[in-house]
Amino acid sequence: MNIEKQVAETIKKYKLAKKSDKIIVALSGGKDSVSVIYIMKKLGYNVSGLMIDLKLGKWSEIHNEKMIAFCEANNIPLTIVDLKKELGQGICFIKAVLKKQKNLTGCTVCGIIKRWILNKWAKKLGADKLVTGHNLDDEAQNVLMNFLKGNVLLGVNSSPATGGKEVGSPHAEYPHQKETQKSLDIKRAGFAQRIKPLFFSPEDEIRKYAKSKKFDILYDKCPCAFGTYRVDTREWMEGISNKEKLAIVENFQKLVPNLRKENMTELKICKKCGEPSRGEVCNFCKIMGSL
Ligand code: AMP
Ligand code: ZN
C-alpha cells in the first residue's frame, strides 16, 4: 500500500486542508504523527509540530530529543508544551487521583487533557487545521468500543475532519444544522479544526512506512496504556484484517449523517475556561476541578 498516495487522496476527497493553511500537527513522537507530518510536508503543506511533554520520565525525554532532532532535520518548526507548567501537575499524579476519585481510566483522562491543551495551543499558534495521527485501527477500535459500551452515539463526531464548518466532505459537518451567526462565531473562535489524514490508513502499513523511511523514533506504546478497555479492544482486534477494519469504519461513516441529524448538540463555550464545550462546563474542567 502506498501511504503517501492514500494520505494525498484522503486530504483531497474530504477537502481536509489547503496549501495556504497553517497546519499544526500534534506530534506524540510515535510512528503515526511522525509519518503524517513528514508526508504532509512532502506534499507541500505548511506544517509545524506541537508536542505535549507529558513528563513521563525517560520515555518523554527520549521522545522530546528525537522530535527536536527530527524537526530540525526536516526543517519543521516545533513547539513543546510542558505539561507541568501548563497544569501544575504531571500526568501520573492527575491520573492516579482521578482513578481513585472517579474510577476514570488512564487513557480517558489523558485523551481529555491532550485534546484541551492541543486545542488551546493550536489556536495560540494561529492554526487553520490541527492534525492528529489517528489511524484506521484507532477508528475501528472506537466504533467497536462505543458499540460494546452500548453508546454508539459517542461516535457522532467521527469523521476525517471534526469541529469545523468548512469541510466539504461527502459527510459534511453539521449539514442539517442551521448556523446562527453566534454559533458560527463560537466555532471559529473556539475550535481549531481537527483533521485526521490517516483515518483510512492501517496501523501496520504506517509502521512499515515509518521503518522504510528509517525514522529515528520510539515504536513502543505509551508506558501508561495498560489495563484499559482500549488496550483490551486493541488486543482482540489483532485477528481482524485491514479489509474488515476498513469495512467497520466505512460502514459506520454511512450511519454518521443520520446519527447527527437526531443527536447534534450545539457547541458552547465552557463557563470556567472559555474553551469549546458540549455542556456548560467542559470535560477538562470537570475532571481538573476535582483534583
Ligand atoms: P494516542 O491517543 O496516544 O493514540 O495519540 C493519538 C494522536 O494524538 C497522535 O497521533 C498525536 O497526533 C496526538 N498526540 C498524542 N500524544 C501527544 C502528545 N504528547 N503531544 C502531542 N500530540 C499528541
Ligand atoms: Zn473548561
Side-chain angles (χ1 to χ4, degrees), residues 4-232:
E4 291 183 0
K5 200 164 152 234
Q6 193 181 40
V7 166
E9 281 171 6
T10 302
I11 294 176
K12 191 167 167 223
K13 181 170 175 193
Y14 290 87
K15 296 192 173 66
L16 297 187
K18 300 193 285 273
K19 292 280 160 72
S20 57
D21 282 340
K22 174 154 188 184
I23 311 273
I24 301 286
V25 181
L27 272 181
S28 65
K31 62 184 186 322
D32 306 297
S33 49
V34 168
S35 296
V36 79
I37 200 169
Y38 179 86
I39 295 171
M40 288 190 80
K41 170 97 183 170
K42 193 168 168 187
L43 292 172
Y45 290 95
N46 170 15
V47 292
S48 306
L50 173 59
M51 183 172 191
I52 307 169
D53 180 352
L54 295 166
K55 299 282 165 191
L56 290 170
K58 200 85 199 138
W59 194 78
S60 293
E61 279 169 31
I62 298 173
H63 269 306
N64 284 3
E65 282 166 21
K66 289 194 181 296
M67 281 307 95
I68 290 169
F70 173 87
C71 287
E72 253 174 37
N74 289 282
N75 200 19
I76 294 171
L78 172 66
T79 304
I80 299 183
V81 178
D82 182 320
L83 190 87
K84 271 198 181 144
K85 280 194 197 141
E86 200 65 13
L87 304 182
Q89 307 287 356
I91 199 83
C92 287
F93 175 81
I94 297 171
K95 280 181 173 180
V97 173
L98 291 169
K99 170 88 186 128
K100 209 167 163 196
Q101 277 185 359
K102 303 200 164 180
N103 204 23
L104 283 173
T105 62
C107 295
T108 311
V109 172
C110 211
I112 292 171
I113 291 175
K114 280 181 197 165
R115 257 197 306 280
W116 188 86
I117 294 180
L118 289 172
N119 190 61
K120 183 175 146 196
W121 274 82
K123 284 188 294 169
K124 217 178 202 176
L125 295 169
D128 293 305
K129 301 286 154 69
L130 172 63
V131 174
T132 61
H134 291 100
N135 59 38
L136 180 69
D137 293 54
D138 297 323
E139 298 305 325
Q141 279 159 27
N142 286 342
V143 174
L144 293 180
M145 275 167 57
N146 294 342
F147 192 77
L148 291 171
K149 280 191 217 156
N151 198 351
V152 177
L153 289 178
L154 286 175
V156 71
N157 286 315
S158 161
S159 163
T162 52
K165 180 66 184 68
E166 291 166 45
V167 183
S169 77
H171 315 295
E173 290 283 313
Y174 319 113
H176 60 286
Q177 197 183 5
K178 268 201 198 135
E179 294 284 355
T180 59
Q181 189 55 43
K182 191 168 160 246
S183 75
L184 265 176
D185 287 344
I186 287 172
K187 275 186 209 160
R188 288 196 185 118
F191 246 132
Q193 187 181 42
R194 267 177 286 139
I195 62 171
K196 302 175 181 174
L198 296 175
F199 198 83
F200 300 107
S201 305
E203 180 166 13
D204 56 356
E205 295 288 342
I206 301 167
R207 184 177 291 108
K208 265 192 238 162
Y209 176 81
K211 292 210 159 155
S212 76
K213 291 286 170 195
K214 299 195 167 50
F215 293 144
D216 180 22
I217 55 176
L218 292 184
Y219 286 86
D220 312 350
K221 296 247 174 273
C222 169
C224 290
F226 56 86
T228 63
Y229 198 38
R230 175 170 291 280
V231 175
D232 295 345

Side-chain angles (χ1 to χ4, degrees), residues 116 270-277 281-286:
W116 188 86
C270 169
K271 280 201 301 212
K272 292 199 169 166
C273 69
E275 288 290 303
S277 170
V281 176
C282 75
N283 284 338
F284 173 84
C285 288
K286 275 187 205 152

Side-chain angles (χ1 to χ4, degrees), residues 248-265:
I248 292 170
V249 169
E250 285 187 336
N251 287 332
F252 184 70
Q253 283 298 300
K254 288 183 197 155
L255 305 178
V256 165
N258 274 335
L259 286 178
R260 275 191 195 145
K261 254 184 229 162
E262 309 286 321
N263 299 289
M264 207 61 213
T265 50

